[in-house]
Amino acid sequence: VKSSELAAKAAEGIGSEVSAYSKKAFEDAVAAAQEIAASKSVTELFEKQAAFAQSAFEGFVSQTTKMNEILVAATKD
């Protein structure tokens, strides 16, 4: 029973993290697309796109780390 409660708690935590991350990632992508569309030169476009790609990757890595910590804590418990 205790294991089921811990697993449910971990699943709930992961679900809320995924939901929050998905919402933020979508909002960031829309903002980046608008910013990229406003580029005045090809060089500026590539710089903005590269900055967004780096930011998106760093956000993904950070979110993956958070989810891993939730799973490790649940497994430990």
Side-chain angles (χ1 to χ4, degrees):
V1 172
K2 184 70 173 172
S3 295
S4 296
E5 290 172 359
L6 292 171
K9 183 179 175 185
E12 182 180 330
I14 290 172
S16 66
E17 285 291 328
V18 168
S19 176
Y21 174 72
S22 297
K23 181 180 178 185
K24 184 182 180 321
F26 178 76
E27 291 170 352
D28 290 349
V30 169
Q34 291 172 342
E35 191 173 324
I36 289 169
S39 297
K40 304 220 185 295
S41 68
V42 174
T43 304
E44 183 181 1
L45 181 136
F46 282 121
E47 289 172 353
K48 289 180 179 181
Q49 192 277 334
F52 170 69
Q54 182 177 0
S55 174
F57 179 75
E58 290 171 355
F60 175 76
V61 170
S62 174
Q63 187 63 33
T64 302
T65 301
K66 284 182 188 178
M67 291 175 52
N68 189 37
E69 289 171 356
I70 292 171
L71 288 172
V72 167
T75 303
K76 187 177 179 181
D77 290 343

